[in-house]
Amino acid sequence: MSSHGSHDGASTEKHLATHDITPKGHGETATNPGAQEKEVRNAALFAAIKESNIHPWSKESIHLYFAIFVAFCCACANGYDGSLMTGIIAMDKFQAMFHTGDTGPKVSVIFSLYTVGAMVGAPFAAILSDRYGRRKGMFCGGIVIIIGAVIVATSSKLAQFVVGRFILGLGIAIMTVAAPAYSIEIAPPHWRGRCTGFYNCGWFGGSIPAACVTYGCYFIKSDWSWRIPLILQAFTCLIVMTSVFFLPESPRFLFANNREAEAIAFLVKYHGNGDPNSKLVLLETEEMRDGIKTDGVDKVWWDYRPLIMTHNGRWRMAQVLMISIFGQFSGNGLGYFNTVIFKNIGVTSTSKQLAYNILNSVISAIGALTAVSMTDRMPRRKVLIVGTFMCAVALATNSGLSATLDKQTQRGTQINLDQGMSDKDAADNAYLHVDGNYAKGALAAYFLFNVIFSFTYTPLQGVIPTEALETTIRGKGLALSGFIVNAMGFINQFAGPIALNNIGYKYIFVFVGWDLVETVAWYFFGVESQGRTLEQLEWVYDQPNPVKASLKVEKVVVQADGHVSEAVVA
């Protein structure tokens, strides 16, 4: 990999070589009427964006939005599963067929085989995405998911159901490697955070309909109550499969495969308002030409060495590891067992549990979409540090109130036993002796945690790994991310039911402590990527301390009419 570590100062970062967009100076033009100095992370990019305004409602921009929507549908397929099994496990007809219970080892197998399938599929997903393109990767993922949906929806034996879950995981792995790479690679630099963050909000685009469908189907008095939601898991896949071949291929994939003319044509059409001399197009073209290798490791399916054998690669992979692990193991994995969580804090009616499941998904989506709208302006690192700490506070509040509720429930059970009730009736009616305010407080704290987590992590789970990885290792890096994400999901889904069955609310305390560890990790190792081009991040990761380098800023002088007159050289 190329290195720029020998240069000094923020102003010597990787800039446009052939097309010098902004003249350099010492701030002389700042004295002009209405002029002001502004701190930015990349002076060349800032100037190019200022002078190359993309028309947001042009035909080309609308086509770009549609392409992002198709990638979003891939995340919907994954999110649908997140609420799907939570609701189905609670259904009487499903229990009558499979006798799994709502916690314990059978539930662990049903949930975790999905993640095992995704882990197995991750390396194949990288091969498909790198060799045949991001669009074909999404298409192939859709085929596999539809096969899995057919198998689970027609199951009458637990073994068949589990096999179908494994195949669903394979398909999801293929889709969720290709889709985020595609969304970040087609987005203009100043739309990158919103486009990729919106992609990852597809989790809620799937989980909310799944929660609503399972709630509505709960009242069907036949096996269709659980079969219909399983069939509908294939719906977004059909949208993806019928749409991908009407979309342009990623310009970075084209550059990496010796198709430079097609890549430049894409940039001119979608990033340059049709103007080949657009400063943004010239900047992106020059940086892609300089930074993307046509003989890179994406051509060798087994070669993952750049991710671990170089200083640059290790720091990039550190970002992928942190967001992949922390994004799954900050307490949000409890969402798979919302109905059990609600039962632990006094919500005993199945219909109420399913309704609260919908409410939880909706308010979490509001938090995520709010963050998406600001992703291109908010510093990633600061959001992760503060947000993760606040997650710990919200979970600690929930845990403390749950502890009080547990004591009240035990006391209520004993009172009922003293009054002559059977063990079962005493336990079922213990809630009559519980202070409802504590239950409401615990529920509110749990909902608050989900809003904070969604604001902090949901958009950035798509943004951080795709920004951290350069084009020729993006497919492999995202495959590794998918493997790690699903490994953590396996732990959540296999250990979660058993832990909740054995220690109840005390399981939440594990995540309180772990979230504090995550906060410290983001402070010392989180690299800031907001405000830079994907290619310029090469310079950041080549520095001895990429965290420090990522926080460096440049100064530009912006005139009253918005024109950038100079980049200030220290």
Side-chain angles (χ1 to χ4, degrees), residues 92-420:
D92 297 334
K93 291 295 181 181
F94 180 85
Q95 291 297 333
M97 176 70 73
F98 298 108
H99 309 288
T100 63
D102 58 2
T103 58
K106 287 185 179 180
V107 176
S108 295
V109 170
I110 288 173
F111 276 103
S112 60
L113 258 291
Y114 176 84
T115 58
V116 171
M119 291 163 68
V120 171
F124 301 102
I127 295 169
L128 281 170
S129 181
D130 282 340
R131 185 168 298 178
Y132 300 107
R134 316 314 192 195
R135 297 177 305 160
K136 291 179 181 177
M138 291 187 280
F139 181 86
C140 293
I143 293 175
V144 178
I145 291 170
I146 289 172
I147 293 171
V150 170
I151 293 173
V152 295
T154 57
S155 297
S156 57
K157 301 291 183 183
L158 186 59
Q160 180 180 340
F161 194 91
V162 168
V163 169
R165 295 283 297 160
F166 177 84
I167 293 172
L168 282 167
L170 283 174
I172 287 295
I174 297 170
M175 267 194 165
T176 53
V177 167
Y182 182 72
S183 62
I184 202 166
E185 289 175 0
I186 66 171
H190 52 306
W191 293 7
R192 192 175 71 214
R194 282 167 289 172
C195 289
T196 312
F198 178 71
Y199 152 77
N200 213 50
C201 285
W203 173 270
F204 295 110
S207 67
I208 293 173
C212 294
V213 167
T214 51
Y215 179 76
C217 289
Y218 171 75
F219 299 100
I220 298 174
K221 303 302 180 184
S222 72
D223 286 342
W224 288 108
S225 62
W226 58 270
R227 293 190 193 275
I228 289 174
L230 291 169
I231 292 169
L232 291 176
Q233 189 161 15
F235 177 71
T236 54
C237 299
L238 295 174
I239 296 175
V240 173
M241 292 168 63
T242 55
S243 300
V244 290
F245 295 109
F246 296 98
L247 305 180
E249 186 52 89
S250 152
R252 287 178 170 82
F253 173 81
L254 295 172
F255 255 108
N257 287 274
N258 289 307
R259 295 162 65 181
E260 184 173 314
E262 293 175 68
I264 294 173
F266 174 97
L267 295 174
V268 170
K269 182 176 181 179
Y270 293 101
H271 295 188
N273 295 321
D275 179 10
N277 295 312
S278 160
K279 292 187 176 180
L280 183 59
V281 170
L282 296 175
L283 173 64
E284 289 188 281
T285 299
E286 193 68 26
E287 291 202 335
M288 287 185 200
R289 186 180 286 139
D290 184 50
I292 297 176
K293 303 171 184 64
T294 57
D295 59 348
V297 295
D298 54 325
K299 311 302 185 296
V300 185
W301 66 268
W302 51 265
D303 192 358
Y304 283 74
R305 288 176 300 174
L307 292 169
I308 54 176
M309 300 297 289
T310 65
H311 168 81
N312 182 305
R314 286 191 294 271
W315 270 97
R316 289 180 185 273
M317 203 58 206
Q319 310 310 301
V320 174
L321 282 169
M322 288 195 296
I323 196 69
S324 300
I325 295 172
F326 300 167
Q328 293 297 309
F329 208 68
S330 298
N332 54 308
L334 295 166
Y336 282 101
F337 317 107
N338 277 341
T339 53
V340 179
I341 299 289
F342 298 149
K343 184 187 293 185
N344 286 345
I345 57 180
V347 182
T348 55
S349 162
T350 301
S351 62
K352 281 188 177 180
Q353 290 170 3
L354 293 174
Y356 276 130
N357 196 37
I358 296 171
L359 178 61
N360 180 61
S361 293
V362 170
I363 62 174
S364 297
I366 292 171
L369 290 170
T370 302
V372 166
S373 69
M374 299 185 286
T375 300
D376 285 309
R377 300 192 302 274
M378 292 191 303
R380 326 271 200 239
R381 179 174 172 272
K382 188 178 294 185
V383 167
L384 288 164
I385 293 169
V386 176
T388 305
F389 178 76
M390 295 306 297
C391 283
V393 172
L395 282 180
T397 303
N398 173 268
S399 301
L401 292 169
S402 295
T404 303
L405 282 170
D406 185 60
K407 290 178 183 177
Q408 292 180 351
T409 300
Q410 291 179 18
R411 186 173 67 247
T413 301
Q414 187 59 49
I415 292 171
N416 291 338
L417 288 171
D418 293 342
Q419 292 175 349

